[in-house]
Amino acid sequence: MTPHLPILRTSRLVLRPLETTDAPAIQRLAGDREIALNTLVIPHPYPDGVAEAWIEEQKQQGEFDGMYNFAIDDGGLIGIAGLTTK
């Protein structure tokens, strides 16, 4: 069972749990060629359905290895930040 993740607010940004509705923004951001060239695990072109599957995986990931990914939101998803409990 995934623990309840907090929502962290600053004057400029919100760090919040990922939501299925973030998938189009994740696909757009991860699909950028420059992003894909600088990572080992992001495919280019970024296939349809991968963002949705990745979000679902993240819901289980934290319990497995203590790594939690949060959406960085400034009125829309602009990135993802990983936090670890280990």
Side-chain angles (χ1 to χ4, degrees), residues 2-86:
T2 302
H4 174 72
L5 298 177
I7 296 174
L8 309 170
R9 298 177 192 279
T10 72
S11 60
R12 292 184 37 228
L13 299 170
V14 175
L15 291 180
R16 60 170 175 74
L18 291 162
E19 302 168 355
T20 305
T21 56
D22 293 320
I26 291 171
Q27 184 167 3
R28 179 179 48 79
L29 293 167
D32 183 288
R33 184 166 170 71
E34 292 298 315
I35 298 296
L37 287 174
N38 289 292
T39 67
L40 295 175
V41 297
I42 297 177
H44 185 78
Y46 199 80
D48 290 342
V50 171
E52 292 86 352
W54 183 79
I55 291 167
E56 289 304 312
E57 288 173 16
Q58 299 316 297
K59 293 177 182 178
Q60 306 304 317
Q61 189 77 23
E63 187 165 321
F64 175 72
D65 68 1
M67 178 72 171
Y68 298 93
N69 285 305
F70 288 81
I72 304 170
D73 190 319
D74 74 344
L77 184 112
I78 61 169
I80 295 169
L83 301 172
T84 185
T85 60
K86 294 183 180 183

